Amino acid sequence: MTARDTILGRIRDALVDVPADETPDDVPLPRAYHRSHADVDAPALFAERVADYRARVVEATADTARATIAELLAARSLRALVVPPGFPEDLVPDGAWRRRAEPLDVGELEAADGVLTTCAVGIAVTGTLVLDAGPGQGRRALTLLPDYHLCVVRADQIVGDVPDAIARLDPSRPLTFISGPSATSDIELDRVEGVHGPRTLEVLIVRPSQEHP
Amino acid sequence: MSDAGTNVVWLGSPTFPRAASAALANPQLRRNLRKATTTIRDKRLAATGELDDWEQLREAGAATKRRVLRHLDRYLLQLEESVTRAGGIVHWAADAAEANEIVAELVRATGSDEVVKVKSMATQEIGLNEALAEAGIRAYETDLAELIVQLRDDRPSHILVPAIHLGRAEIRETFVHEMAHWGRPAPEGLTDEPRALAAAARLHLREKFLRAKVAISGANFAVAETGTVGVVESEGNGRMCLTLPETLITVMGIEKVLPKWQDLEVFLQLLPRSSTGERMNPYTSTWTGTTPGDGPQTFHLVLLDNGRTATLADTTGRQALACIRCSACLNVCPVYERTGGHAYGSVYPGPIGAILTPQLVGVEHAETLPFASTLCGACYDACPVQINIPEVLTHLRAKAVAARRARRRTPSGEALAMKAATAILTSPGRLAAAQKAASLGGRAIARNGVIGPLPGPLRSWTDARDTPAPPRETFRSWWRRTRPQHPSGEQR
Ligand code: SF4
């Protein structure tokens, strides 16, 4: 008998109280909770909640995004900036840094001190960015090893709350939910930002131009 | 289940009462614990109070787990199929020894003699690090608190913050003296500032992450429908382990399966808010099998029983398998706050440990644990999946007492009393009625506010202890009267 048979057999023996004709759907599962706790403008709430994690949030319009990115990057005095494949070329400013593109090995990634990406979804209530390794985001290691991450999120990518985000995301892709910079409270429960992931996270919210003429 | 490879109960640990009195005599430990549990408690209340549908979320979480447990065989088979379809390899392990053997064999096959580890209760439970060491494989813990515990050759004392019993000065000492034996030494002139200590850990672990070929993780959930597995964390050590190595081995208790992707909308709200008291933890990673060009190209999922099916067989006790390891019940527990985690002598401390450990190993191997509680009910109120911990405790007490009685062959009023208590604690209505009756009846037989020895079958229960007379009003009814409409929606 394999361990698989043993375990499945034990489970069936353990569940003798469950009627043979009961199906999972026969077990009631009330979903009486709200679909969203966001009652205001989602991008505004998102900005507030991301900032609560001590990540810097900046807003721009489609017209000013490139200049704003240039300013943010210039302030970091980066040596090497990783730009993943598929990142909108018109948003990449020139600067004093060396631009790094794939393929990159671990050593090269470790040597880069910044990464500029898009994201798949923003969640307003929890101040969360979700990356799905799609265009402009690259594979997961790109946003992990460099110490500085600037993430660009379009206002229309920001949903109100967790249920909307889960519905929008494709679970077959590798997903990373990011809520503020990495942190630990393991020492006397004192929160320290920046352990292994990027120690600095900045988020740029880009609204359509017509909203702010 | 007295398997040599299992850590569910630490062999040679004193029983809870003996360990607890030792812990109570340590004022530094008590100060650390009080500060820590008070801080997390307040954060959790703020984070859960923010959602006016918290009770509905708990209800959905509890119902989802009930559905899973009643049809566990079916969901595991579905998970096996979906993980396999996505390029993963599924293994089954009936006990700790089998799981350890599978993992050691998988690591050996990669040719590597070291692994990096993401904090995982399941691998602690089976004593994986010790088993790997015997197989000549070094396992590096990468969660900061786990690293501290590993460097000290200590034991974890909390599910979420395993080094909660240590202060910053002790942690600095550990880093200065031990890091060099494990790899990169602590920086010169290291202070005990948490920021400096975290930076030292970052440097120490970095080289390990960059060279590791194999990672071992636990899982917070796995979705049967899609084969998606997830890890919830804060520091980014999880992302390092899940992303950089070529091979990933995940060890997961069979109860962690969830039916649908949609179910995450509930658990990703319940878990962070209950656990660290944050709206969301810094990092959550999910993966489905393997992805060409991104992350590990070989993925193994080890499904672990190790006493879970025995727990499932107990219709009252099985609700303990709904636990999502948030640790809220530890932080609200007046007993845990005073004794700390080590006194429980198990990787699962606190209220959840008191009900899970005896079931995983058999109540006769952890007899005193179901008594490590005052039955105040704070854990039940805090639990995001509504596990009725007091109900399971009294149920297990009855079992423990019955087991002891069977050995002594003497009848026991305690067993009867615990059986009756279980029936009452099962239903809030019955509990309210019983509390009211106790309030009236208890006062009638009390002298000086204390109930002394009672006649009849209750004598053996009361002759060992004096029971304070029940107050005129129960806590619950006082609360309802004085706070009829709590804005947070939390009933406490
Ligand atoms: S029993 Fe409930 S409160 Fe305790 S750790 Fe498990 S889920 Fe959290």
Side-chain angles (χ1 to χ4, degrees), chain B residues 323-329 352 383-385 387 389:
Chain B
C323 174
I324 56 174
R325 311 278 188 264
C326 73
S327 73
C329 57
I352 179 60
C383 179
V385 286
I387 299 173
I389 296 174

Side-chain angles (χ1 to χ4, degrees), chain A residues 3-4 6-8 10-19 22-35 37 49 52-54 106 110 123 125-126 128 131 133 138-141 143-147 161-167 169-199, chain B residues 35-36 39-40 50-53 56-57 59-60 63-64 67 69-77 80 92-94 98 142-145 161 167-168 171 194-195 197-198 201-202 205-206 209-210 226 228 234-237 239-240 242-244 261-266 268-269 273 278-288 291 293-296 305 309 312-313 315 318:
Chain A
R4 181 177 184 271
T6 306
I7 295 172
L8 290 170
R10 286 178 187 168
I11 292 172
R12 286 167 192 146
D13 290 346
L15 293 172
V16 282
D17 60 305
V18 177
E22 181 182 295
T23 68
D25 287 338
D26 293 334
V27 184
L29 204 176
R31 294 192 188 272
Y33 52 87
H34 308 318
R35 296 303 302 167
H37 297 91
R49 294 286 162 94
D52 277 353
Y53 298 120
R54 287 183 244 179
V106 170
E110 172 75 354
I123 311 174
V125 165
T126 58
T128 303
L131 272 62
R139 63 196 165 95
R140 288 169 286 172
T143 49
L144 182 57
L145 290 178
D147 206 13
D161 212 337
V162 176
D164 299 332
I166 294 298
L169 290 163
D170 174 1
S172 71
R173 309 184 66 92
L175 302 178
T176 307
F177 293 66
I178 300 175
S179 308
S182 74
T184 183
S185 301
D186 280 352
I187 301 164
E188 295 184 2
L189 291 177
D190 227 355
R191 187 178 159 104
V192 175
E193 272 90 18
V195 194
H196 301 296
R199 282 182 284 193
Chain B
K35 182 180 167 227
T39 311
I40 317 189
E50 223 174 67
L51 304 186
D52 60 0
D53 57 345
Q56 286 75 29
L57 283 165
E59 189 58 56
T64 307
R67 181 178 279 189
L69 292 176
R70 289 179 74 87
H71 297 279
L72 189 57
D73 49 341
R74 169 186 187 132
Y75 286 121
L76 288 173
L77 288 172
E80 178 184 49
W92 301 69
E98 271 185 29
T142 65
D143 169 80
L144 178 51
V161 201
R168 61 183 71 191
I171 295 169
R195 187 166 299 280
L197 295 170
R202 177 184 169 103
L205 289 171
R206 199 73 168 192
F209 289 135
L210 296 183
T226 59
T228 309
S234 294
E235 295 171 8
N237 62 309
R239 291 181 68 193
M240 292 279 179
L242 301 171
T243 309
L244 297 180
W261 173 246
Q262 190 200 349
D263 297 322
L264 286 193
E265 71 184 27
V266 175
L268 286 184
Q269 294 192 73
R273 288 180 195 261
E278 294 167 300
R279 295 188 181 110
M280 194 65 96
N281 51 290
Y283 296 135
T284 294
S285 298
T286 71
W287 67 97
T288 303
T291 308
D294 189 348
D305 178 351
T309 48
L312 188 67
T315 52
R318 80 165 55 130

Side-chain angles (χ1 to χ4, degrees), chain B residues 259-402:
Chain B
K260 292 195 161 99
W261 173 246
Q262 190 200 349
D263 297 322
L264 286 193
E265 71 184 27
V266 175
F267 291 97
L268 286 184
Q269 294 192 73
L270 289 176
L271 181 53
R273 288 180 195 261
S274 301
S275 180
T276 49
E278 294 167 300
R279 295 188 181 110
M280 194 65 96
N281 51 290
Y283 296 135
T284 294
S285 298
T286 71
W287 67 97
T288 303
T290 53
T291 308
D294 189 348
Q297 295 302 296
T298 307
F299 168 53
H300 298 277
L301 179 63
V302 182
L303 299 173
L304 175 74
D305 178 351
N306 203 35
R308 285 161 177 77
T309 48
T311 309
L312 188 67
D314 184 321
T315 52
T316 304
R318 80 165 55 130
Q319 54 184 312
L321 296 175
C323 174
I324 56 174
R325 311 278 188 264
C326 73
S327 73
C329 57
L330 278 62
N331 302 330
V332 300
C333 178
V335 176
Y336 178 88
E337 183 181 317
R338 284 163 183 82
T339 65
H342 289 160
Y344 293 80
S346 161
V347 288
Y348 299 111
I352 179 60
I355 62 168
L356 189 60
T357 304
Q359 298 199 84
L360 291 178
V361 299
V363 86
E364 65 282 5
H365 298 297
E367 256 183 353
T368 57
L369 280 185
F371 297 89
S373 159
T374 62
L375 299 180
C376 75
C379 48
Y380 182 20
D381 289 341
C383 179
V385 286
Q386 298 180 330
I387 299 173
N388 190 336
I389 296 174
E391 179 197 355
V392 182
L393 278 170
T394 50
H395 171 71
L396 295 176
R397 285 181 187 186
K399 274 187 148 179
V401 171

Side-chain angles (χ1 to χ4, degrees), chain A residues 188-189, chain B residues 26-39 163-171 336-337:
Chain A
E188 295 184 2
L189 291 177
Chain B
N26 180 345
Q28 178 63 41
L29 174 72
R30 292 186 60 182
R31 262 197 303 278
N32 288 352
L33 281 169
R34 167 160 314 214
K35 182 180 167 227
T37 51
T38 317
T39 311
I164 202 168
H165 57 293
L166 299 171
R168 61 183 71 191
E170 292 163 295
I171 295 169
Y336 178 88
E337 183 181 317

Side-chain angles (χ1 to χ4, degrees), chain B residues 26-223:
Chain B
N26 180 345
Q28 178 63 41
L29 174 72
R30 292 186 60 182
R31 262 197 303 278
N32 288 352
L33 281 169
R34 167 160 314 214
K35 182 180 167 227
T37 51
T38 317
T39 311
I40 317 189
R41 269 207 301 266
D42 293 347
K43 279 183 72 183
R44 187 185 67 83
L45 278 181
T48 57
E50 223 174 67
L51 304 186
D52 60 0
D53 57 345
W54 185 249
E55 288 311 311
Q56 286 75 29
L57 283 165
R58 287 177 77 208
E59 189 58 56
T64 307
K65 290 291 190 176
R66 213 175 297 128
R67 181 178 279 189
V68 167
L69 292 176
R70 289 179 74 87
H71 297 279
L72 189 57
D73 49 341
R74 169 186 187 132
Y75 286 121
L76 288 173
L77 288 172
Q78 193 187 2
L79 178 69
E80 178 184 49
E81 199 192 312
S82 56
V83 168
T84 308
R85 203 185 321 121
I89 303 159
V90 176
H91 310 259
W92 301 69
D95 56 29
E98 271 185 29
N100 289 332
E101 212 171 288
I102 292 169
V103 175
E105 197 43 57
L106 290 172
V107 178
R108 237 185 257 124
T110 66
S112 194
D113 61 359
E114 60 173 29
V115 298
V116 285
K117 277 191 72 205
V118 193
K119 174 171 156 30
S120 134
M121 297 305 300
T123 60
Q124 272 178 36
E125 172 192 320
I126 60 176
L128 179 64
N129 292 5
E130 295 84 344
L132 288 177
E134 268 170 43
I137 299 160
R138 207 160 199 205
Y140 296 111
E141 292 291 349
T142 65
D143 169 80
L144 178 51
E146 292 286 357
L147 169 71
I148 296 166
V149 168
Q150 185 175 47
L151 290 175
R152 292 175 68 88
D153 199 14
D154 199 347
R155 277 168 171 166
S157 62
H158 189 277
I159 298 179
L160 179 72
V161 201
I164 202 168
H165 57 293
L166 299 171
R168 61 183 71 191
E170 292 163 295
I171 295 169
R172 179 192 164 273
E173 282 294 293
T174 303
F175 279 11
V176 168
H177 292 119
E178 301 300 330
M179 269 184 172
H181 303 304
W182 290 78
R184 184 175 174 141
E188 287 291 315
L190 179 66
T191 69
D192 65 3
E193 270 306 299
R195 187 166 299 280
L197 295 170
R202 177 184 169 103
L203 285 173
H204 177 77
L205 289 171
R206 199 73 168 192
E207 57 177 23
K208 297 193 165 53
F209 289 135
L210 296 183
R211 78 166 183 243
K213 299 268 179 282
V214 185
I216 296 177
S217 84
N220 290 95
F221 53 81
V223 179

